[in-house]
């Protein structure tokens, strides 16, 4: 899945003097407050971290409340979705107007009906809401399905993703992996283009065949007259 990245950083974490006897724990507690929040510095939501302390001793900083400055090197796993990226999520709700999903267990995503390609139609079967493809009857999206969708935008404040099912490479992951495995979207587009060109060529050939058939008829009429 796209939208995940790893970032390395050299940091200085400030620890209150009252926690000087438990500096490592205080540092980890401070970093934990950053989890599942968007960081403008790292341009992403922090999901996990790994810390390597560079110095065993913390430096006392001057001031009214002299904090301890702890130098460390950290590696962060970040969630940073951008437009046109492909994300994966679990469908938790379906209505006639939208599909709702959860990404990575914490970020909500919504796909409005205007962003669902016309191939899919909404149906309520046996009391269960679902979107079914008119081209492929087995391609079904329902509650519990894992879907792949394209990012339109990301609300950093509430960690909300606005998505789209317009591209051909989006939909139920179960169906996509079985039917589109190893076939890039560009190849499918090229194949569709070739099919369209083939249809156009057949039409042109038929037109060329029909036209000579009309000429002898006109000549016979002229000779009879």
């Amino acid at each position: 899945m796209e939208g995940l990245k790893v970032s390395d950083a050299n940091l200085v974490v400030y620890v209150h003097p009252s926690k000087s006897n438990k500096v490592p724990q205080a540092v980890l507690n401070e970093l934990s407050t950053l989890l599942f929040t968007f960081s403008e510095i790292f341009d992403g939501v922090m999901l996990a971290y790994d810390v390597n302390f560079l110095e065993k001793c913390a430096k006392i900083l001057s001031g009214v409340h002299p904090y301890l400055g702890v130098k460390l090197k950290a590696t962060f796993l970040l969630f940073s979705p951008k437009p046109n990226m492909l994300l994966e999520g679990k469908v938790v709700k379906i209505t006639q107007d939208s599909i709702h999903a959860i990404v990575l267990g914490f970020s909500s995503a919504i796909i409005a009906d205007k962003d669902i390609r016309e191939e899919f139609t909404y149906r309520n079967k046996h009391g269960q809401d679902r979107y079914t493809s008119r081209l492929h009857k087995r391609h079904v999206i329902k509650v519990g399905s894992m879907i792949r969708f394209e990012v339109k935008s990301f609300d950093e404040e509430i960690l909300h993703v606005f998505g789209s099912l317009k591209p051909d490479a989006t939909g139920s992951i179960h169906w996509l992996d079985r039917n589109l495995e190893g076939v890039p979207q560009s190849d499918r587009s090229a194949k569709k283009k070739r099919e369209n060109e083939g249809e156009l060529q057949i039409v042109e050939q038929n037109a060329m065949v029909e036209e000579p058939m009309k000429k002898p008829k006109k000549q016979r009429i002229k000779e009879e007259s």
Side-chain angles (χ1 to χ4, degrees):
M1 183 180 75
E2 299 177 344
L4 295 174
K5 66 178 182 179
V6 176
S7 180
D8 295 324
N10 294 319
L11 303 176
V12 177
V13 177
Y14 302 110
V15 178
H16 193 274
S18 63
K19 300 178 181 178
S20 60
N21 60 336
K22 297 180 180 180
V23 172
Q25 182 179 348
V27 170
L28 296 179
N29 290 340
E30 190 69 25
L31 292 177
S32 295
T33 61
L34 303 178
L35 290 174
F36 301 106
T37 59
F38 184 84
S39 171
E40 294 183 359
I41 298 177
F42 299 108
D43 188 29
V45 180
M46 188 184 298
L47 302 181
Y49 60 83
D50 183 44
V51 175
N52 180 22
F53 291 90
L54 299 180
E55 297 180 355
K56 295 182 179 180
C57 299
K59 181 180 178 180
I60 301 177
L61 305 177
S62 60
V64 179
H65 298 288
Y67 276 72
L68 305 177
V70 183
K71 291 184 178 182
L72 53 88
K73 183 175 183 179
T75 300
F76 301 115
L77 175 62
L78 302 169
F79 176 59
S80 182
K82 303 295 181 184
N84 302 323
M85 283 185 175
L86 294 178
L87 299 184
E88 299 176 359
K90 184 175 182 179
V91 177
V92 294
K93 181 180 179 181
I94 288 181
T95 69
Q96 192 169 358
D97 302 319
S98 59
I99 296 175
H100 300 256
I102 294 294
V103 180
L104 297 174
F106 76 94
S107 180
S108 59
I110 183 172
I111 305 169
D113 58 345
K114 64 179 181 179
D115 297 314
I116 301 175
R117 59 183 182 272
E118 296 180 357
E119 169 190 342
F120 289 99
T121 57
Y122 168 82
R123 294 180 181 178
N124 185 296
K125 187 175 182 180
H126 305 302
Q128 185 182 56
D129 298 319
R130 59 177 63 191
Y131 276 89
T132 304
S133 169
R134 292 180 296 177
L135 304 178
H136 310 282
K137 298 301 182 182
R138 294 182 179 274
H139 194 175
V140 178
I141 298 175
K142 57 186 178 180
V143 173
S145 298
M146 291 296 298
I147 61 172
R148 184 176 296 123
F149 61 94
E150 184 181 63
V151 177
K152 290 186 63 181
S153 62
F154 178 56
D155 191 318
E156 301 167 352
E157 186 174 349
I158 61 175
L159 309 182
H160 192 95
V161 181
F162 297 91
S164 169
L165 287 178
K166 288 290 187 179
D168 293 337
T170 60
S172 168
I173 294 178
H174 178 75
W175 188 90
L176 292 172
D177 289 348
R178 284 175 173 267
N179 295 273
L180 300 182
E181 184 177 2
V183 183
Q185 185 174 357
S186 57
D187 292 349
R188 295 195 299 273
S189 300
K191 180 180 178 181
K192 187 175 182 180
K193 182 179 180 181
R194 289 194 299 269
E195 291 175 351
N196 293 337
E197 290 177 349
E199 292 176 357
L200 179 60
Q201 186 176 2
I202 293 174
V203 172
E204 291 176 348
Q205 290 176 350
N206 290 339
M208 293 174 63
V209 171
E210 292 176 358
E211 187 175 353
M213 292 176 63
K214 295 179 181 179
K215 289 183 179 179
K217 185 176 180 180
K218 291 182 179 179
Q219 292 175 355
R220 287 198 299 272
I221 294 175
K222 184 176 181 181
E223 291 174 355
E224 291 174 358
S225 60

